[in-house]
Amino acid sequence: METTASGHTFHVPVMGTGFTIDSPLRIGKFGISTVVSLVDDNLIEKVRREYAKKWDMPYERIRSKSGLDRARRITAYFNLIADILERQIATIRALPFEPGNDKAKYFELLPHGSPLKQDYEAHFAIRDSGEREASMRRLNDAILPGRVGCNIMTKADAAREFGNAPKVEGDLTDAKSALKGFAEAKGEGDVILSAGVNPTLFGFIENFPAFYADENGKSQKRIILKVSDLRSSLIQGKLLAKKGLRIAEFRVESGLNCGGHVFATEGLLMGPILEAFKAERARFDSVFEPLIAAYYSHRPTLHYAPRTPENRIRITAQGGIGTAGEAIRLMEDFGLDSTGWASPFLLVPEATALDAETRKKLAQATSNDFVVSNASPLGVPFNNLRTSSSEEWSEARIEAGTPGSPCPNGYIRLNSEFEGPALCVGSSEYMAKKLDAMGHTTPPTRETASPEVQAMYDKRCICCHLGNGALIDLGVALPGMPVAVCPGPNLVHFDRSYSLVEMVDHIYGRRPSLVSADRPHMFAKELVLYVDHLAKMIDTQDVSHPKVAHSLKTFIANLKDAFGYYLKLAEKPAYPLENIASLGRITEEQHGRLLTLEAHFLAALPDADRDNTTTGTDTAGHAVSAPALAVV
C-alpha cells in the first residue's frame, strides 16, 4: 500500500519519546502524517506487544541483547504499523458513504481547498447510478493513510552495553541501529534526522537501497532534515548529496519556541529564516543535483534519475504555531508546503499517548508552569512542566536522601567521570558517586546544597519518565508512575482536552478559535524568548572573553535585523484569526529592551572591544554568513 498524505496541510511532529509513539495508529487512518521517536526501543517493544494483542496479530518478544536486537525491534514495530494501517484503511473503504462514520470523518477533516474533499462533496449531487458508482470507486481509491515517519536524534548515537554483553561499537550504536531498523521495515516512510550532523550516521545511510531513488526518481524511504536555518540545511544537504542521497524536505523548527530540547540559533528568528528559504529554494536543485549525479557517475550499476518537479524539496515549519491565521501566513507569505502542530495535540487523546492526569495538569498549567529547565542529562536546555509527577517524584527522592533515578534503559549513559561503565548524570548511581567524591557522607538537602549539587539535583530521567505517560495511557503501566512531559510554551493558550475534529477544525480555521484573540503572534513570542535568552547569556557568561563577545555581537545584530523585518511584516493585513497587531507592538517593546541589554553588555567590554559592528542578516533577512549556493 502506498502511504501518501491525502491532502492535509499540517503534520504532527515527534513529541518526546512516547507521546507520538502510536499516533500513526490513532490518526494515520485519517490521512494525517505523524512521527515516531526511535530513542526508546524498550518502549517500542511494549507498545508493539499491546497493539499485536489488540489486533489479534502474532507477537514474538525480541529481547534486547545487542544493537541488532534494537534494530529488529524497530523493524518489527513499523511492520506492525504498516499491517494495522492497511486493515484500518480497508475498513474505512468498506464503509458506506453516509454521515457519522469514519469514512465521512476522513473526508470532512480535509481542508476546504483539498480537491479530494471537493470531489467528495460533489459526489452526493450525482444522480446517474453509473457515474455514482465510478465516483465511489475513485473516492475509495483515494483514501490513503498519512505518511509514517520516525525521528532520529543524530547525536544520540552512543555505544551501549546490553546486560553482560560487551559495549556495542561501530555500525550498531544507537542512532545507526535505529536507522537500520526503520530502513529494513516494509512500506514507505520518512526518516527525520534532527540535532545536526553525524558524519558516520550519514555515511551509514549508504548501506540501505530504500533511501535511493528508483528509475522514476522516487525513494521508498524519504530523508527529512529538521533544521534551524538555511546555512545548516545547505551543509547537511550537500553532505548527503555527495552520497547520492536526496533530501525530500527541510523541516524548519524554531530554536526556542518549541517543545522538548531547545537549540537556540545565533539570534536568527523564524521570519527571516523562512524568508531566506523562500528566496533560495528555486536554486536547491542546482546545488544538490550535480553532487548526486556525480555520485551515480562512479557507480555504473546504479541508475540516476533527475528529480522531477512533483518531487521537489518540500519546506515546512513547526514550533509555536497556534492559529489558523499563522498557518496561512506561513504557507501564503513564505510558500511553505505544510505546517507542524505538536504541543496542542498533547491535549487531544485521540491523537497522542499520555495519561489523563498529566493531560489535566497541562490544561490547567499557567505560564509559570512551563519552564526551560536543566533537567536533561544531555546538558541541553529542556522544556519542562514544573508540576509534572516526574518533578514531584524526583524532588521527593532528594528530600528522602536518595537523589537521582534508577537507570534501567541506559540511553544517556554518557558520563565517564568514574571508573567502570559510563553513567547517566541523572541516575542515582552517578549522584551517589559524585556526592562521595565531593566529600558528602550523606546527601545534602535542597536548602543546604551548594550550587554545583543543586545543578546536579536538577537532572531528571527523560528516558523512562517521558515514556511512562504512554504506558499508563495504554494500560501497560499502573497510574502513579512518574511522568515527564516536555511541551512548548505555546500550550499555555490551550486549556482543556479537545477532540480530533475540534483541533483539526481549529488548524484550518473552520470554527471559532480555540485560543484567545489576544494571544501574541508566534513570531512575537519567539522574539521575546530570544531576548530572554540573550539576557541570560549576558548574565551568566564571561562577556569580556573575545569569543563570547563576538558571539553576543552576532546575536544582537541578527535580532536587530529581525526587528526591522517584523516591523515591516506587521504592517501587512492580518489573515483571519491572526493577531498580526501584536507583532508590531511586541517588536517595539522588545527593541527597547534589547538596546538596554546591549548597553549593559558593551559597558562590560574593554574600550577597544566596544565596536558594535558584526555579521548578521541583511535587510531582507538573509544570513550574511550563509554559504554561497555553489556546488562544492
Side-chain angles (χ1 to χ4, degrees), residues 127-258:
R127 294 290 175 260
D128 181 84
S129 60
E131 290 182 15
R132 193 175 181 87
E133 285 293 326
S135 172
M136 290 171 61
R137 286 194 297 272
R138 288 194 302 272
L139 289 171
N140 275 326
D141 289 343
I143 296 174
L144 298 170
R147 292 193 68 89
V148 179
C150 71
N151 188 85
I152 297 176
M153 291 183 65
T154 59
K155 300 296 179 61
D157 195 20
R160 287 192 294 121
E161 294 182 355
F162 292 81
N164 295 322
K167 181 179 288 189
V168 176
E169 302 288 358
D171 288 348
L172 293 179
T173 49
D174 276 359
K176 297 179 188 67
S177 58
L179 181 73
K180 174 180 173 65
F182 182 72
E184 294 180 348
K186 61 185 176 183
E188 295 185 354
D190 304 322
V191 60
I192 296 92
L193 301 175
S194 65
V197 176
N198 179 339
T200 60
L201 178 66
F202 283 12
F204 188 65
I205 301 176
E206 288 188 82
N207 295 311
F208 305 103
F211 291 108
Y212 285 88
D214 60 18
E215 61 276 7
N216 298 314
K218 293 188 63 177
S219 305
Q220 181 189 7
K221 298 289 196 299
R222 303 190 314 180
I223 299 173
I224 295 174
L225 291 180
K226 188 192 293 185
V227 295
S228 58
D229 56 41
L230 177 63
R231 180 176 182 275
S232 64
S233 303
L234 293 172
I235 291 171
Q236 294 180 70
K238 288 176 182 178
L239 286 175
L240 290 167
K242 289 176 181 179
K243 301 179 185 301
L245 296 161
R246 282 199 176 101
I247 303 302
E249 178 183 324
F250 288 121
R251 189 163 287 186
V252 185
E253 183 172 75
S254 170
L256 294 180
N257 197 15
C258 62

Side-chain angles (χ1 to χ4, degrees), residues 4-133:
T4 304
S6 60
H8 282 290
T9 57
F10 77 94
H11 58 271
V12 179
V14 69
M15 286 186 276
T17 60
F19 309 127
T20 55
I21 192 73
D22 63 346
S23 292
L25 301 177
R26 293 176 182 246
I27 59 175
K29 64 184 179 182
F30 296 119
I32 299 171
S33 297
T34 56
V35 184
V36 175
S37 169
L38 297 191
V39 169
D40 190 348
D41 60 285
N42 288 324
L43 175 64
I44 286 172
E45 182 68 7
K46 292 172 183 176
V47 174
R48 182 173 74 91
R49 180 188 63 203
E50 288 307 301
Y51 272 96
K53 184 192 308 179
K54 179 178 179 180
W55 285 83
D56 194 24
M57 300 174 78
Y59 169 80
E60 182 178 346
R61 181 182 177 185
I62 301 173
R63 297 184 180 275
S64 181
K65 297 180 179 179
S66 68
L68 181 59
D69 291 329
R70 172 173 160 81
R72 290 176 58 224
R73 284 177 160 188
I74 291 167
T75 300
Y77 184 53
F78 280 91
N79 285 345
L80 180 77
I81 288 174
D83 290 341
I84 293 176
L85 269 175
E86 187 168 5
R87 288 194 193 182
Q88 290 176 328
I89 294 299
T91 298
I92 291 177
R93 286 174 174 171
L95 292 173
F97 282 84
E98 61 183 32
N101 62 20
D102 274 357
K103 177 171 283 185
K105 186 175 181 178
Y106 183 97
F107 291 107
E108 290 166 1
L109 284 173
L110 292 169
H112 286 314
S114 164
L116 180 57
K117 184 168 188 172
Q118 294 170 356
D119 289 345
Y120 171 74
E121 292 171 342
H123 167 79
F124 295 96
I126 298 174
R127 294 290 175 260
D128 181 84
S129 60
E131 290 182 15
R132 193 175 181 87
E133 285 293 326

